[in-house]
Amino acid sequence: MTDAVSHTPSPRKAALRAEALARRDALELDDRLLWDEAIVARVLALPVFKEGSVSAYWPMRSEADPRPILEALHERGLPLCLPAIVEKHMHFRRWAPWEPIVPGGFGTLVPAPEQPEVRPAILIVPLAAFDRRGYRIGYGKGYYDRAITELEPIATIGIAYAAQEIEAVPAEAHDRRLDWVVTQDETIRCG
C-alpha cells in the first residue's frame, strides 16, 4: 500500500467542482430518477462484468444512484463491496444488497467494520465533474485516485449526469483516468 498523499486542492479544480455540483444540485429530482434508470442500463451493458468483485458507492446528496446496478450485479452472482475511509485510506468491504450499513464519515454510509475486506476488479466511482478524456473531479481528497493506483489493473467506470461534463479537467500527476464515463445520454470510452 502506498502512503496517503497530501493533496492541496487546486483553486481551479475547486471552482470547477463547485460549478458542476451546483448544476447537478439544480437538476429536478424526477429527471434524475429517470436518468438513473438510463445510466443503470448503460452501465450494465458494458463488457466488463464477467468476474471479480465490483465496488460502487452509497449515493449522497444529488449523486447518480448506483444501487440498482449493484442489485443487478448481485443477481448475476458477482461479489460486491463498498468503500470505507479508514485512517485516511480507502478500504473496500464486502457488501450485498439489504445488508446493514453504518455511517462512515463525510456523509457516507459503509458496510460495518467487521465485514471482510475485498479487492475489487471493477470500480464504479462518483463524479463531481468529468471530461471526455476520462479525468474526473471528485470531492478533493484524492481517495479514489490513490485507490485506483493501488488496485491497478482495475476497470474504472464513472457515473454522472450529462450536466456535470466540463471541457477539460485540469489533470495533475496524481489524477487517474477512468476507462468509461456513463451518463444518461451516452457511454464514453476513455481509456
Side-chain angles (χ1 to χ4, degrees), residues 97-130:
W98 305 285
E99 286 186 351
I101 53 174
V102 298
F106 306 104
T108 64
L109 295 172
V110 302
E114 60 271 8
Q115 291 296 332
E117 286 197 26
V118 176
R119 182 180 180 90
I122 302 164
L123 194 58
I124 299 171
V125 302
L127 310 173
F130 68 92

Side-chain angles (χ1 to χ4, degrees), residues 15-190:
L16 291 168
R17 176 184 305 108
E19 292 166 10
L21 290 176
R23 286 193 307 275
R24 186 182 79 191
D25 290 343
L27 298 172
E28 294 291 328
L29 176 59
D30 290 343
D31 290 334
R32 290 196 328 258
L33 292 172
L34 285 174
W35 295 340
D36 282 347
E37 291 177 16
I39 290 168
V40 167
R42 288 181 181 284
V43 169
L44 292 174
L46 291 171
V48 298
F49 300 111
K50 295 179 180 15
E51 60 185 11
S53 294
V54 179
S55 175
Y57 58 92
W58 198 267
M60 58 184 192
R61 299 187 279 237
S62 58
E63 289 177 332
D65 188 352
R67 291 175 295 185
I69 297 166
L70 293 172
E71 290 171 14
L73 294 174
H74 179 71
E75 288 175 12
R76 291 183 189 179
L78 289 173
L80 306 175
C81 56
L82 294 174
I85 304 302
V86 179
E87 297 176 5
K88 298 186 178 185
H89 183 78
M90 188 174 280
H91 294 255
F92 298 89
R93 296 183 187 146
R94 188 193 62 75
W95 178 82
W98 305 285
E99 286 186 351
I101 53 174
V102 298
F106 306 104
T108 64
L109 295 172
V110 302
E114 60 271 8
Q115 291 296 332
E117 286 197 26
V118 176
R119 182 180 180 90
I122 302 164
L123 194 58
I124 299 171
V125 302
L127 310 173
F130 68 92
D131 67 23
R132 290 185 170 266
R133 301 172 301 159
Y135 287 106
R136 65 182 283 278
I137 296 176
Y139 293 107
K141 300 290 185 188
Y143 292 119
Y144 274 104
D145 290 317
R146 287 191 299 277
I148 291 167
T149 298
E150 292 171 4
L151 295 169
E152 287 177 335
I154 186 167
T156 54
I157 305 162
I159 63 173
Y161 303 114
Q164 294 170 251
E165 182 177 352
I166 61 175
E167 185 174 330
V169 170
E172 300 171 78
H174 65 269
D175 290 328
R176 307 283 34 103
R177 219 166 70 152
L178 301 173
D179 297 310
W180 287 274
V181 174
V182 178
T183 74
Q184 74 274 14
D185 296 330
E186 63 185 319
T187 300
I188 304 165
R189 179 70 166 113
C190 308

